[in-house]
């Protein structure tokens, strides 16, 4: 197989340009549902990762030792484990641990039904993403002057309101850029789910490759589609960053915490 890849790659005249163009502009009927599934998995897994990361970041900032230890252990173990291993473990090992089939062939949510492999993939990718988002969110919160907590407390705001109304909106300027990069990576990480049978665009490419035995054309075409998806997201990310008023000189943290807290109460 390696020899075939090298022979094809080193012989440009042997590349089937017609197949390459066709796979880009007319990839087939099965490709479009696979594309939608890829985007859906990436979005849901990222949202799960943000939720887990937010909880973990707050636990790491807890005054109590047990939540800090639990969150620290989660981040340490997940960041040290390959994502594909986590996905395999959750899909195949999760049911064995609890003694219940967590991911049957089809899972119904009332109005719609998804396959167990898709659900396991979302959980696995989200669980892995949560560890990275935890550090990103924690760093964003830590970048805000601690005096703002004290100033907010002085005018009667509790810690939860201070975090929601003052700290997180400012920390967002620090959190959004790396969060956007993480989602960029999440789009590409969905390709790992092909190994548990999720029919997304990478598995669709593998199917076509097995039928044509032309790896360069098929995988180059899917690479183009990944570039299209990440380019669209890059545009969205830039719009979000512009909306948050992020400058090239770094996050703009207010130097008037009391005024900021008072305005947040209005």
């Amino acid at each position: 197989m390696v020899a075939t890849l090298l022979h094809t790659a080193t012989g440009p005249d042997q590349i089937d340009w017609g197949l390459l163009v066709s796979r880009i502009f007319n990839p087939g009927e099965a490709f479009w549902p696979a594309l939608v599934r890829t985007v859906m998995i990436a979005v849901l897994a990222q949202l799960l990762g943000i939720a887990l990361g937010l909880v973990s970041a707050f636990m790491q900032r807890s005054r109590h030792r047990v939540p800090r230890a639990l969150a620290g252990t989660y981040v340490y173990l997940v960041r040290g484990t390959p994502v594909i291993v986590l996905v395999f473990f959750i899909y195949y090992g999760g049911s064995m641990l609890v003694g219940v089939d967590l991911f049957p062939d089809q899972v119904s949510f009332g109005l719609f039904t998804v396959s167990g492999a898709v659900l396991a993939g979302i959980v696995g990718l989200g669980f892995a993403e949560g560890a990275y988002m935890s550090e990103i969110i924690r760093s964003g919160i830590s970048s805000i002057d601690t005096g703002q907590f004290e100033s907010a407390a002085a005018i009667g705001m509790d810690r939860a309101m201070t975090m929601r109304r003052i700290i997180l909106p400012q920390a967002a300027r620090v959190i959004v850029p790396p969060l956007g990069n993480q989602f960029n990576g999440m789009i590409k990480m969905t390709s790992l789910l092909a190994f548990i049978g999720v029919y997304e665009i990478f598995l669709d490419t593998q199917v076509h490759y097995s039928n044509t035995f032309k790896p360069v054309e098929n995988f180059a075409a899917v690479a183009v589609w990944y570039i299209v998806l990440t380019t669209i997201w890059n545009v969205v990310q830039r719009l979000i960053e512009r909306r948050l008023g992020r400058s090239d000189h770094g996050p703009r943290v207010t130097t008037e915490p009391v005024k900021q807290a008072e305005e947040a109460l209005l």
Side-chain angles (χ1 to χ4, degrees), residues 232-250:
I232 292 172
W233 170 246
N234 287 337
V235 173
V236 174
Q237 181 182 348
R238 289 182 181 277
L239 292 175
I240 295 173
E241 290 180 8
R242 188 177 303 172
R243 182 69 179 268
L244 289 172
R246 180 177 179 272
S247 69
D248 294 334
H249 301 291

Side-chain angles (χ1 to χ4, degrees), residues 146-170 261 264-265:
T146 56
Q148 298 201 39
F149 285 100
E150 300 170 1
S151 301
I155 61 171
M157 295 180 70
D158 60 29
R159 192 173 182 83
M161 181 179 289
T162 302
M163 185 66 69
R164 186 175 67 254
R165 303 290 295 274
I166 297 177
I167 304 301
L168 287 179
Q170 295 179 80
L265 288 173

Side-chain angles (χ1 to χ4, degrees), residues 176-233:
V176 165
L179 186 156
N181 293 335
Q182 288 295 115
F183 183 65
N184 201 320
M186 178 65 75
I187 293 173
K188 293 171 284 186
M189 259 199 304
T190 57
S191 61
L192 297 176
L193 303 190
F195 296 100
I196 61 172
V198 175
Y199 200 93
E200 38 67 66
I201 59 176
F202 186 78
L203 184 55
D204 179 75
T205 301
Q206 285 187 313
V207 170
H208 281 271
Y209 161 57
S210 65
N211 292 332
T212 61
F213 296 101
K214 292 183 179 292
V216 172
E217 293 86 343
N218 283 286
F219 289 109
V222 79
V224 171
W225 275 103
Y226 278 117
I227 291 171
V228 169
L229 292 177
T230 54
T231 300
I232 292 172
W233 170 246

Side-chain angles (χ1 to χ4, degrees), residues 5-248:
L5 286 170
L6 291 175
H7 178 71
T8 307
T10 54
D13 56 317
Q14 296 183 19
I15 293 179
D16 188 342
W17 294 103
L19 176 61
L20 175 59
V21 173
S22 175
R23 288 292 297 154
I24 293 174
F25 295 102
N26 187 27
E29 293 183 2
F31 178 84
W32 304 112
L35 179 65
V36 172
R37 192 172 295 113
T38 296
V39 175
M40 179 197 72
I41 291 171
V43 171
L44 293 179
Q46 187 67 44
L47 290 175
L48 177 59
I50 292 171
L52 291 174
L54 196 60
V55 172
S56 177
F58 287 155
M59 288 174 67
Q60 289 192 76
R61 293 179 57 86
S62 173
R63 299 186 180 94
H64 305 288
R65 183 178 302 176
V66 173
R68 292 202 309 270
L70 290 174
T73 301
Y74 161 64
V75 171
Y76 173 76
L77 292 177
V78 172
R79 292 183 70 184
T81 306
V83 177
I84 187 62
V85 174
L86 285 173
V87 171
F88 269 95
F89 181 79
I90 289 173
Y91 185 47
Y92 295 109
S95 300
M96 297 172 63
L97 288 176
V98 300
V100 178
D101 189 5
L102 297 176
F103 306 107
D105 291 338
Q106 298 292 329
V107 181
S108 176
F109 290 95
L111 297 177
F112 59 94
T113 302
V114 298
S115 72
V118 169
L119 184 59
I122 292 171
V123 172
L125 293 179
F127 193 75
E129 183 65 20
Y132 293 92
M133 286 306 306
S134 176
E135 294 298 287
I136 291 171
I137 294 171
R138 184 179 63 83
S139 298
I141 293 173
S142 298
S143 70
I144 307 302
D145 185 4
T146 56
Q148 298 201 39
F149 285 100
E150 300 170 1
S151 301
I155 61 171
M157 295 180 70
D158 60 29
R159 192 173 182 83
M161 181 179 289
T162 302
M163 185 66 69
R164 186 175 67 254
R165 303 290 295 274
I166 297 177
I167 304 301
L168 287 179
Q170 295 179 80
R173 297 190 180 102
V174 179
I175 294 171
V176 165
L179 186 156
N181 293 335
Q182 288 295 115
F183 183 65
N184 201 320
M186 178 65 75
I187 293 173
K188 293 171 284 186
M189 259 199 304
T190 57
S191 61
L192 297 176
L193 303 190
F195 296 100
I196 61 172
V198 175
Y199 200 93
E200 38 67 66
I201 59 176
F202 186 78
L203 184 55
D204 179 75
T205 301
Q206 285 187 313
V207 170
H208 281 271
Y209 161 57
S210 65
N211 292 332
T212 61
F213 296 101
K214 292 183 179 292
V216 172
E217 293 86 343
N218 283 286
F219 289 109
V222 79
V224 171
W225 275 103
Y226 278 117
I227 291 171
V228 169
L229 292 177
T230 54
T231 300
I232 292 172
W233 170 246
N234 287 337
V235 173
V236 174
Q237 181 182 348
R238 289 182 181 277
L239 292 175
I240 295 173
E241 290 180 8
R242 188 177 303 172
R243 182 69 179 268
L244 289 172
R246 180 177 179 272
S247 69
D248 294 334

